[in-house]
Amino acid sequence: MISIITADGAAEQTQLKAMAARAAAQSEDIVQTVQVVMAAVQAEGFAAVERYTRQFDHAVPCEIPPEALAEAYDACPPALVAALEHAARNIRDYNQRLIKKSAEWPSPDGGMVGRILRPLDRVGVYVPGGTAAYPSSVLMNVVPAKVAGVREVVMVTPPTRNLSMPVLAAAKIAGVDRLIAVGGAQAIAALTYGAGFIPKVDKLVGPGNAYVAAAKRLAYGAVDIDMVAGPSEVLVIADQSAQPHYVAADLLSQAEHDRLASAVLLTDSQELAQRVSEEVERQLAGLERQETIKASLRDFGCAIVCQSLEDCVALANEIAPEHLELVTKNPRALLPLVKNAGAVFLGAYTPEPLGDYLAGPDHVLPTSGTARFFSPLSVDAFLKSMSVLEFSRETLQPLAKEIVTLAEAEGLTAHANSIRVRLEESHSEPS
């Protein structure tokens, strides 16, 4: 069962604080270890990468040839390949519809201004390995980069005796240019600074463990990053019309991620909260990751009963969840009130796993309240813009006096002089 809390009470605030604190807690030992690894790779290059890979993974970094991706693709069950291909098509279509174009337009003062968009040149994608295998993460991170026109996508994944066949197949489907078996903080450092055959990239994307997250945080500035992802979370807003077994199933699906995952129900119905809690207990008995789910729901799961659905949305905006499900009689009526969420799922037949795998929008989403200012990963993340300006003598001249005035107000006399020398010239163009 999950605990049921009344909104505006001390228990509610305690629960919200616990949810917020779970992402902020980061072991100082992890940070210190990662700082040492990053500094060593920056100073020593590939020698440090190889040393740490031997130490942590008992392996040697190596590049996986394209033939291995093709072989994995052929070896995967046809049904899995078909599902991966379907997901890739939807992700590609979604991002192609989002892509922005370069544009130029007349300035109000007669010149021309605009913005030119260019894809990043090289992007690094981290894909977790070990006991976990996430081919969906390969697609969600790589396909938008390829749609943007990134010249080279370099994927890294921890070296294991047998790399995941579905992950390799997904890499082929997504269009990965290079796949390197190297993981952990040393992989992030190698992509940040360049190390031997591992190239420096412009941006790092993709999920990872606490060491990878700490390394990405330290890498930011030398390269760009997508975000520092925290534990996963779902928040479901449901009313009396919701099916309790649907809501319970969605809470459980999120809680199985890890012990720090958060699964919360907001409702205006005490009866629904009770029925969902009972359904959680019933369905849990048939699931595999019971210990993980129990710990997640015990520490970071609950049902909060609010006075109204509007109050539920207001609380959701305060939490700014990664995933927000609106399982109400009229979910679109609540949508205009939603301000902060990574992704919004409307209605009883739009569960969060649909977004995780197949719908098309990216499942790389802001967590831990950062949906207040971060956006989901998309093609936009792999494009950069440059401003462009073009003025003639005739369109510059009317603006010159004010430019000089502004430059002198800032004490930048050379800026003012750059304008004056043009005003002092004759009206004929210089030869």
Side-chain angles (χ1 to χ4, degrees):
M1 297 178 69
I2 57 174
S3 60
I4 300 174
I5 299 169
T6 301
D8 299 323
E12 174 208 3
Q13 292 304 313
T14 299
Q15 185 70 29
L16 296 182
K17 288 178 181 178
M19 289 166 57
R22 82 194 202 286
Q26 187 179 57
S27 167
E28 186 61 32
D29 290 342
I30 290 177
V31 174
Q32 290 177 356
T33 298
V34 171
Q35 286 174 333
V36 170
V37 171
M38 295 288 285
V41 173
Q42 185 176 21
E44 303 171 41
F46 185 76
V49 177
E50 183 175 18
R51 182 171 70 252
Y52 287 120
T53 302
R54 289 182 183 275
Q55 177 182 342
F56 298 131
D57 294 322
H58 311 292
V60 177
C62 64
E63 186 152 358
I64 307 301
E67 309 88 75
L69 277 61
E71 290 170 3
Y73 179 92
D74 293 337
C76 278
L80 175 58
V81 170
L84 290 171
E85 295 273 18
H86 188 174
R89 286 195 303 272
N90 286 353
I91 298 165
R92 191 173 296 113
D93 177 76
Y94 179 81
N95 283 280
Q96 285 171 341
R97 293 173 184 273
L98 288 181
I99 198 164
K100 299 173 183 175
K101 305 294 183 183
S102 299
E104 297 179 4
W105 57 90
S107 161
D109 294 310
M112 182 278 294
V113 295
R115 185 175 76 159
I116 298 173
L117 291 175
R118 294 282 188 265
L120 300 179
D121 185 61
R122 182 184 287 128
V123 168
V125 176
Y126 191 94
V127 175
T131 58
Y134 299 113
S136 61
S137 287
V138 177
L139 301 181
M140 292 288 183
N141 283 278
V142 176
V143 172
K146 301 301 286 188
V147 171
V150 172
R151 180 182 63 82
E152 186 175 56
V153 175
V154 181
M155 178 177 138
V156 295
T157 192
T160 57
R161 181 166 297 178
N162 295 302
L163 291 175
S164 164
M165 287 292 183
V167 165
L168 296 182
K172 175 176 170 54
I173 292 168
V176 168
D177 296 293
R178 295 180 65 185
L179 174 54
I180 300 171
V182 62
Q186 63 270 23
I188 298 299
L191 292 172
T192 301
Y193 305 118
F197 66 89
I198 305 172
K200 178 179 179 178
V201 300
D202 301 313
K203 184 164 188 164
L204 290 162
V205 300
N209 61 20
Y211 291 91
V212 171
K216 285 174 68 177
R217 192 186 297 274
L218 291 171
Y220 180 66
V223 297
D224 190 18
I225 64 172
D226 50 354
M227 62 189 77
V228 178
S232 193
E233 57 207 26
V234 69
L235 193 153
V236 181
I237 295 178
D239 61 12
Q240 189 65 38
S241 72
Q243 295 286 347
H245 58 296
Y246 288 3
V247 175
D250 292 355
L251 296 176
L252 289 165
S253 74
Q254 200 66 27
E256 78 171 341
H257 271 291
D258 62 65
R259 300 170 71 93
L260 293 178
S262 173
V264 173
L265 166 65
L266 302 183
T267 181
D268 61 349
S269 168
Q270 180 76 34
E271 179 186 356
L272 178 74
Q274 185 61 44
R275 293 177 65 191
V276 168
S277 180
E278 293 167 359
E279 270 294 321
V280 164
E281 186 171 20
R282 186 185 69 80
Q283 293 183 31
L284 178 61
L287 299 176
E288 292 183 3
R289 297 170 60 85
Q290 290 190 24
E291 293 307 312
T292 297
I293 294 171
K294 287 178 181 178
S296 167
L297 293 179
R298 180 191 67 234
D299 296 333
F300 307 112
C302 66
I304 300 177
V305 181
C306 302
Q307 291 294 318
S308 67
L309 290 178
E310 290 75 16
D311 288 343
C312 290
V313 178
L315 183 54
N317 284 330
E318 180 182 341
I319 296 170
E322 178 186 15
H323 307 98
L324 174 62
E325 292 188 8
L326 302 181
V327 190
T328 60
K329 186 175 182 180
N330 186 5
R332 282 207 169 266
L334 295 178
L335 186 58
L337 303 178
V338 176
K339 305 300 180 186
N340 302 322
V344 184
F345 300 77
L346 300 177
Y349 295 96
T350 316
E352 184 270 338
L354 173 65
D356 267 355
Y357 294 112
L358 208 66
D362 216 285
H363 74 199
V364 180
L365 302 168
T367 61
S368 310
T370 60
R372 292 180 294 111
F373 46 83
F374 274 138
S375 302
L377 190 71
S378 74
V379 66
D380 294 341
F382 302 101
L383 295 168
K384 60 186 177 70
S385 65
M386 302 181 290
S387 300
V388 59
L389 309 83
E390 183 179 20
F391 280 70
S392 65
R393 181 192 297 275
E394 290 72 27
T395 52
L396 173 63
Q397 190 168 13
L399 309 177
K401 185 175 181 181
E402 288 184 329
I403 298 171
V404 168
T405 298
L406 291 169
E408 290 180 339
E410 295 185 352
L412 300 177
T413 55
H415 280 61
N417 183 62
S418 173
I419 300 299
R420 283 201 181 95
V421 296
R422 288 166 169 79
L423 292 179
E424 293 168 356
E425 291 176 350
S426 65
H427 288 292
S428 62
E429 292 291 340
S431 56

